Amino acid sequence: QLQLVESGGGLVQPGGSLRLSCAASGFTLDHFTIGWFRQAPGKEPEGVSCIRSDGSTYYADSVKGRFTISRDNAKNTVYLQMNSLKPEDTAVYYCAAGTIVTVATNPRLYDYWGQGTQVTVSS
């Protein structure tokens, strides 16, 4: 059974850091494009970052310079290191996997999704 499981969310103060993990089972992550999306209440899903099978990466302008995506093939896990967090980063964060992802921010191009992890940035 193909499955993605996110972890690492929580409550953090503005300026703080969190590292999200996306662990895969049933398939090998490095064959896929892995994307991170987030959705705040009342808002559309936003593509935050992705890492492709060739190792190239994408970042939304809103997180560029603050977030870093990486992949550990031995652990079959993708990470999203989030630094200098802001209140507007508050959302449920989802990881997703897709094989033909021509546009990193299009959620319809991803085939498998995790259940999400809540990130709350507040003082």
Side-chain angles (χ1 to χ4, degrees), residues 18-108:
L18 284 174
R19 189 178 77 158
L20 305 183
S21 299
C22 173
S25 60
F27 66 103
T28 304
L29 273 179
D30 63 356
H31 295 168
F32 289 75
T33 293
I34 306 300
W36 283 97
F37 290 79
R38 65 186 181 187
Q39 187 167 23
K43 294 189 176 182
E44 293 292 315
E46 176 189 9
V48 173
S49 180
C50 83
I51 184 165
R52 301 179 184 87
S53 57
D54 64 0
S56 61
T57 58
Y58 159 84
Y59 297 96
D61 288 343
S62 58
V63 306
K64 203 171 290 183
R66 300 188 297 123
F67 290 10
T68 304
I69 192 169
S70 62
R71 186 174 62 213
D72 185 332
N73 292 335
K75 295 183 178 180
N76 210 25
T77 300
V78 168
Y79 302 99
L80 186 67
Q81 178 67 44
M82 306 187 297
N83 298 329
S84 303
L85 283 162
K86 306 175 181 180
E88 50 265 42
D89 294 318
T90 296
V92 178
Y93 283 70
Y94 300 89
C95 67
T99 54
I100 305 175
V101 180
T102 52
V103 179
T105 56
N106 187 345
R108 294 184 178 87

